[in-house]
């Protein structure tokens, strides 16, 4: 059974005035609240494709903006992003360039994820960036386009509110 995700109309109106990140965040918080605060294999089944895709985008954005695709993979999100239809969903949401970028990074993920996913000291982890420079251009491309891509996600969310929230409270 799908979880009922409820957003507060007043929060939504306020967030819309604050910008796209705040607007998206209202839905993300409501989705996490509906599933008990953490996304996992069990409760993922309780969400629809758009809800999972929105959470995936925010995870991708936050991880890559913080430390690139190497960090995303090291933190355990590689399989979630690259072994699910996330790239296809991004294309369906109108983010073709992001989908193309993800398909390119997927190839690197396939070749390097086992090394990246190992446990490391902070110093050893930082050295990964030097040994895996092939991720650098993709990290840069994501950072350069993040604002436009987040705006496109916010537009999709705004145009598909009923897919992302089952109820709106006053």
């Amino acid at each position: 059974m799908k979880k009922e995700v409820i957003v507060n109309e007043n929060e939504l109106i306020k967030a819309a005035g604050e910008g796209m990140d705040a607007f998206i965040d209202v839905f993300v918080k409501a989705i996490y609240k509906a599933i008990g605060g953490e996304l996992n294999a069990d409760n993922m089944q309780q969400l629809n494709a758009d809800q999972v895709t929105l959470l995936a985008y925010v995870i991708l954005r936050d991880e890559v903006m913080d430390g690139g695709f190497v960090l995303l993979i090291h933190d355990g999100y590689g399989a979630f992003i690259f072994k699910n239809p996330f790239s296809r969903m991004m294309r369906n949401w109108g983010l073709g360039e992001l989908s193309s970028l993800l398909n390119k990074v997927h190839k690197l993920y396939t070749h390097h994820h086992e090394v990246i996913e190992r446990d490391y000291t902070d110093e050893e982890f930082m050295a990964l960036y030097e040994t895996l420079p092939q991720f650098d251009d993709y990290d840069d491309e994501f950072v350069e386009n993040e604002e436009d891509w987040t705006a496109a996600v916010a537009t999709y969310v705004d145009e598909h509110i009923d897919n992302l929230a089952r109820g709106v409270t006053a």
Side-chain angles (χ1 to χ4, degrees):
M1 182 169 159
K2 299 293 181 195
K3 286 284 186 181
E4 184 172 46
V5 175
I6 300 171
V7 295
N8 179 287
E9 184 177 15
N10 293 331
E11 284 181 36
L12 204 52
I13 292 167
K14 181 178 182 253
E18 293 173 5
M20 62 190 169
D21 291 328
F23 179 74
I24 289 171
D25 198 45
V26 169
F27 289 91
V28 170
K29 285 179 179 176
I31 294 167
Y32 276 122
K33 182 178 179 183
I35 58 173
E38 181 183 348
L39 183 65
N40 58 49
D42 293 330
N43 63 22
M44 191 181 308
Q45 312 300 320
Q46 299 169 357
L47 300 174
N48 67 36
D50 277 348
Q51 291 164 334
V52 173
T53 300
L54 180 60
L55 295 183
Y57 176 77
V58 171
I59 290 167
L60 170 75
R61 180 195 67 195
D62 292 352
E63 290 285 318
V64 175
M65 293 300 287
D66 191 40
F69 284 101
V70 170
L71 181 66
L72 173 90
I73 296 164
H74 179 72
D75 283 351
Y77 295 113
F80 179 54
I81 297 298
F82 298 114
K83 291 186 176 181
N84 284 305
F86 178 66
S87 175
R88 186 169 7 122
M89 291 299 292
M90 287 291 91
R91 186 170 304 287
N92 291 347
W93 281 24
L95 287 95
E97 289 179 6
L98 176 55
S99 177
S100 294
L101 174 67
L102 292 170
N103 291 335
K104 293 172 191 170
V105 177
H106 185 179
K107 292 174 184 167
L108 291 177
Y109 166 78
T110 301
H111 292 302
H112 301 288
H113 77 92
E114 290 177 2
V115 169
I116 297 169
E117 291 168 349
R118 292 183 190 146
D119 287 333
Y120 293 103
T121 64
D122 289 344
E123 191 174 291
E124 290 169 333
F125 175 73
M126 293 309 290
L128 279 178
Y129 289 102
E130 293 177 28
T131 62
L132 296 168
Q134 53 270 53
F135 285 92
D136 291 351
D137 288 342
Y138 300 126
D139 293 344
D140 292 346
E141 184 177 343
F142 188 92
V143 170
E144 289 168 11
N145 290 287
E146 180 273 332
E147 193 171 314
D148 291 338
W149 290 338
T150 297
V153 167
T155 297
Y156 182 89
V157 168
D158 188 40
E159 293 172 353
H160 298 88
I161 287 176
D162 291 344
N163 292 354
L164 290 143
R166 303 252 182 247
V168 178
T169 62

